Amino acid sequence: MKKFLALLLASIMMMSTAACGSSSGNETATAEKTESTESSEEGTESTEEYTGPTGEITFCTWGSASEIDCDQKACDAFMASHPGTTVNLEVFNEDYATTVETRFLGGQAPDVIYGHPSTLLKWMKEGMLQPITDVYEKHEELWDEEIYQTNLYDAYKMDGEYYATPVGADTFVLFYNKTKLDEAGMEYPDADTTWEELAEMAKATSIRDENGVPQSLGIASSFYYYHSLPIIYAHGGSMLDNMNEPSKVTFDSPETAEALTWLQNAANEWGFAPNGEDSTYITGGFSDGDYTFYISGVYDIVYMTGITDFEWDIAPLPQTMKKEGDTAVLYAGYSVSSQSENPELAKEFAYFMTTYEDQEIMAETGLITPLRKDVALSDEVINIEGAPEHHSVRVENLPYGQNLQGQCLSWNEMMDVYSSYMSQLKDMSITPAECATAIQTECQKLLDEELANK
């Protein structure tokens, strides 16, 4: 084990804690074999006999009840189409990363591990995951850009090797309340809407009483990086020179300053986004009708389908879908443990999660945009009950995406720095230029330290 694992193991031994079983309260389900004639390649009937690796593996993940239900269906489907195999599903919903690391220390790591690239990166570097480049080499169809969103793959690459297969991704879009815009006599936003036009729409639909207390506001603007970095990307700004293999911080730019100015004005000068005081009056969210606009990942669509009090839809963020990198995206995928005693079967399962059969299953929740375009654009995905009119935007803007989260171990520390200065920006205690320079300076130090110890 690497030094990190050795130190952590020593610490755990000193505390006399056991690292041999799954965490207390975690669900563990062993899927039963069922019969199926569906092909994992094209979703069509097939009677071809399976002759690949057999045996037993474990697959760990986290998620909501609906997500876990889909994971179990995927395990069942795999076993049905791969006779002689058993996949045991393990769910770690409490402190996922720590639980997985503890299992590694006890020599009982799951064979297949689900995670976001930023979560998997540490484990790649520590030797906890094994390269699975051979999966990409064996299955040439994975590189067919007519079928797959191949621009997602680099988020799982380190030192020339791939360490996971992606299930899909979620881009960030603009949710909007059509009813509020109708009442204000405003047009709906679309792919040609500018940030200036969005500001006018947000102003026109903000309502404050005679004392200036907001009754509803134009946009649920957040200075947290999940919601503000997509705005920065859309303006042409960036956090790192390469989000998947960074060598320098690139935050201090005219494009970033422009985005920060828009954010600061929205919450202060223009008054259509909540500042610190407004937040005490408006405690609901977009689904409660408190805001006209809301910037978030398309995973939130499934939570909006139950809205009945108003009409709503989604649109690309202004100035996006113009060039690669202007759209923020979150990824998720499947890696193989370096401790796996059945690595070939684990790799077979990681590949299966990219096939038509499994992608259909994983799309059922509506929480993730499938990797396969034919599944992502299918009626079963796009026309789910309660879906917005322009639901297909979640697929159409994927080619323009870049990783929301940087693939560096110091990313979380960088985001602590980011949050601190963005709070000051919101409170008008620093200017956009000062904010950009401060974040650039401190984050570059963090990245330099990391690269020096690489």
Side-chain angles (χ1 to χ4, degrees):
M1 282 295 173
K2 301 281 186 177
K3 183 177 180 182
F4 162 77
L5 293 178
L7 291 173
L8 185 53
L9 178 58
S11 176
I12 290 178
M13 292 175 64
M14 289 176 65
M15 293 185 290
S16 299
T17 58
C20 299
S22 60
S23 297
S24 175
N26 290 331
E27 292 183 41
T28 303
T30 302
E32 297 179 355
K33 298 178 184 178
T34 59
E35 293 186 0
S36 172
T37 57
E38 294 292 309
S39 165
S40 65
E41 294 292 334
E42 299 295 340
T44 57
E45 188 171 309
S46 172
T47 57
E48 183 178 350
E49 183 179 355
Y50 174 66
T51 58
T54 59
E56 184 173 358
I57 56 173
T58 55
F59 162 46
C60 75
T61 186
W62 78 88
S64 64
S66 61
E67 290 174 291
I68 299 308
D69 181 57
C70 284
D71 285 322
Q72 186 60 65
K73 287 180 181 179
C75 292
D76 292 342
F78 178 81
M79 290 186 287
S81 59
H82 296 68
T85 66
T86 299
V87 181
N88 301 311
L89 175 63
E90 297 186 313
V91 181
F92 306 146
N93 270 342
E94 294 184 10
D95 203 352
Y96 183 77
T98 300
T99 301
V100 171
E101 289 174 2
T102 301
R103 292 288 295 274
F104 266 96
L105 291 172
Q108 295 185 342
D111 297 278
V112 179
I113 302 169
Y114 173 81
H116 298 300
S118 57
T119 303
L120 300 178
L121 178 65
K122 175 184 176 184
W123 301 338
M124 294 180 203
K125 290 182 176 292
E126 293 294 339
M128 296 164 66
L129 306 179
Q130 61 177 283
I132 59 170
T133 304
D134 54 336
V135 172
Y136 288 87
E137 294 173 343
K138 178 180 178 182
H139 301 284
E140 294 182 0
E141 78 278 6
L142 288 173
W143 295 104
D144 188 339
E145 295 184 358
E146 295 297 315
I147 302 175
Y148 290 99
Q149 294 286 353
T150 59
N151 63 319
L152 305 182
Y153 299 166
D154 282 352
Y156 303 96
K157 193 175 183 180
M158 184 184 75
D159 297 333
E161 297 277 6
Y162 292 99
Y163 282 81
T165 58
V167 61
D170 282 335
T171 54
F172 284 71
V173 296
L174 182 69
F175 290 76
Y176 62 93
N177 186 318
K178 296 170 69 174
T179 302
K180 284 185 179 294
L181 290 170
D182 288 340
E183 292 171 349
M186 304 294 290
E187 297 290 331
Y188 300 149
D190 58 26
D192 296 321
T193 299
T194 66
W195 286 102
E196 292 76 18
E197 290 170 336
L198 179 62
E200 291 303 314
M201 296 177 188
K203 291 176 190 176
T205 54
S206 293
I207 301 174
R208 294 177 181 269
D209 66 17
E210 63 277 7
N211 297 314
V213 175
Q215 308 303 300
S216 68
L217 290 175
I219 189 167
S221 175
S222 171
F223 286 75
Y224 178 58
Y225 85 87
Y226 257 51
H227 304 286
S228 53
L229 276 183
I231 296 175
I232 292 169
Y233 290 0
H235 277 82
S238 59
M239 189 71 200
L240 304 168
D241 60 335
N242 185 328
M243 294 301 282
N244 295 323
E245 196 174 356
S247 63
K248 63 180 179 180
V249 179
T250 55
F251 194 74
D252 194 359
S253 70
E255 293 81 7
T256 295
E258 182 182 354
L260 296 180
T261 299
W262 193 93
L263 275 164
Q264 190 177 60
N265 287 340
N268 294 280
E269 180 180 340
W270 299 331
F272 59 74
N275 55 38
E277 185 176 342
D278 290 335
S279 299
T280 63
Y281 298 106
I282 296 185
T283 57
F286 178 81
S287 60
D288 291 327
D290 288 343
Y291 298 99
T292 308
F293 299 104
Y294 172 56
I295 295 172
S296 189
V298 294
Y299 47 77
D300 268 340
I301 289 174
V302 70
Y303 302 116
M304 306 297 183
T305 56
I307 294 175
T308 58
D309 293 337
F310 59 88
E311 297 293 322
W312 64 282
D313 203 347
I314 63 171
L317 289 181
Q319 296 175 209
T320 60
M321 296 182 66
K322 302 294 189 296
K323 64 182 188 303
E324 186 174 354
D326 64 25
T327 300
V329 60
L330 283 174
Y331 308 135
Y334 306 93
S335 59
V336 175
S337 164
S338 59
Q339 291 184 355
S340 177
E341 296 182 359
N342 199 343
E344 294 309 310
L345 182 59
K347 286 190 240 182
E348 185 70 21
F349 183 79
Y351 165 69
F352 175 76
M353 301 301 263
T354 70
T355 63
Y356 188 98
E357 181 180 3
D358 178 74
Q359 290 273 290
E360 276 195 312
I361 294 171
M362 301 310 293
E364 289 180 12
T365 64
L367 292 171
I368 194 164
T369 307
L371 172 70
R372 286 188 65 119
K373 298 177 182 179
D374 48 1
V375 176
L377 287 169
S378 66
D379 286 341
E380 290 79 6
V381 174
I382 298 301
N383 297 323
I384 60 174
E385 184 176 356
E389 179 182 355
H390 294 95
H391 195 187
S392 61
V393 168
R394 73 182 298 161
V395 183
E396 295 160 356
N397 63 359
L398 267 176
Y400 304 93
Q402 71 163 304
N403 201 345
L404 175 72
Q405 301 172 316
Q407 283 294 86
C408 53
L409 297 179
S410 55
W411 178 254
N412 288 338
E413 292 177 90
M414 288 184 186
M415 291 304 97
D416 287 340
V417 170
Y418 181 91
S419 296
S420 174
Y421 286 107
M422 290 297 282
S423 293
Q424 296 177 52
L425 180 76
K426 181 179 181 179
D427 294 339
M428 298 284 287
S429 56
I430 57 174
T431 67
E434 291 169 339
C435 179
T437 299
I439 290 174
Q440 169 78 33
T441 302
E442 295 194 26
C443 288
Q444 185 64 60
K445 288 180 181 178
L446 291 170
L447 184 60
D448 286 343
E449 291 173 3
E450 177 179 341
L451 294 176
N453 295 321
K454 187 174 181 180

